[in-house]
Amino acid sequence: QVQLQESGPGLVKPSQTLSLTCTVSGGSINSGGYYWSWIRQHPVKGLEWIGYIYHSGSTYYNPSLRSRVTISFDMSKNQFSLRLISVTVADTAVYYCARGSTTVIWFDPWGQGTLVTVSS
Amino acid sequence: QSVLTQPPSASGTPGQRVTISCSGSSSNIGNNDVYWYQQLPEAAPKLLIYKNNQRPSGVPDRFSGYKSGTSASLAISGLRSEDEADYYCAAWDDILTGRVLFGGGTKLAVL
């Protein structure tokens, strides 16, 4: 059974770069047909999709975040990563990684989530 | 504010049937499949319904999804205390280059 686990700093200063890693276990990230996504949840509930990286390495980002986001693979470690530059307090959220199966939006499973706070 | 509109709260008593609505537009629900996610307290969201009305294995048949035009709904019958959670609808939105949209979420209370 595939499991995902997020890791990374819980505190980032404004204007700096947020970097998170999602480690995939129980299956290969190189398996065809999956969209490896990042999703965040702001303190007052709202879920926001950030983007995905497809097994081929192609990426697609939410237009609202496109200028600041990069998602990449580290195949040797069975991981994919999120990089968000020039963060502000509005980027404070719980960040989830998730696997999209069959379609981008079929998120299953999800990681447990990691809280990232942007503060000086 | 979410483009997919859900009521912020809903409630019911054990055994009752409750429905949660999700209203969108022609660029999202009207032209694409709807997914529903359940988020239990202190947990990550979990897929509940896919492609409008399909249940993943392990999801009880008490949960049902419906879609008509630019709206969708989630029905929970035989309400149980463990159904108390936040519920989110989601759909692809075709505007500009496209993106995944989530509803604002509905907090379900089992009284």
Side-chain angles (χ1 to χ4, degrees), chain B residues 40-100:
Chain B
L40 295 171
E42 306 302 318
K46 170 194 151 188
L47 180 67
L48 196 65
I49 296 287
Y50 66 94
K51 294 189 177 182
N52 307 315
N53 55 20
Q54 303 298 303
R55 283 185 307 276
S57 61
V59 173
D61 59 7
R62 301 186 296 105
F63 294 90
S64 302
Y66 304 89
K67 174 185 151 177
S68 178
T70 59
S71 293
S73 61
L74 173 70
I76 309 171
S77 59
L79 198 61
R80 304 174 69 160
S81 58
E82 57 260 40
D83 298 332
E84 190 159 285
D86 292 328
Y87 293 86
Y88 295 89
C89 60
W92 182 262
D93 187 78
D94 294 326
I95 289 210
L96 298 176
T97 55
R99 57 176 174 160
V100 174

Side-chain angles (χ1 to χ4, degrees), chain B residues 96-109:
Chain B
L96 298 176
T97 55
R99 57 176 174 160
V100 174
L101 282 180
F102 287 97
T106 298
K107 186 171 192 64
L108 175 63

Side-chain angles (χ1 to χ4, degrees), chain A residues 53-68:
Chain A
I53 183 166
Y54 195 49
H55 72 95
S56 63
S58 62
T59 55
Y60 187 82
Y61 305 126
N62 188 325
S64 66
L65 295 168
R66 185 170 290 153
S67 63
R68 298 195 293 131

Side-chain angles (χ1 to χ4, degrees), chain A residues 62-76:
Chain A
N62 188 325
S64 66
L65 295 168
R66 185 170 290 153
S67 63
R68 298 195 293 131
V69 173
T70 304
I71 299 176
S72 59
F73 275 139
D74 185 338
M75 294 289 191
S76 66

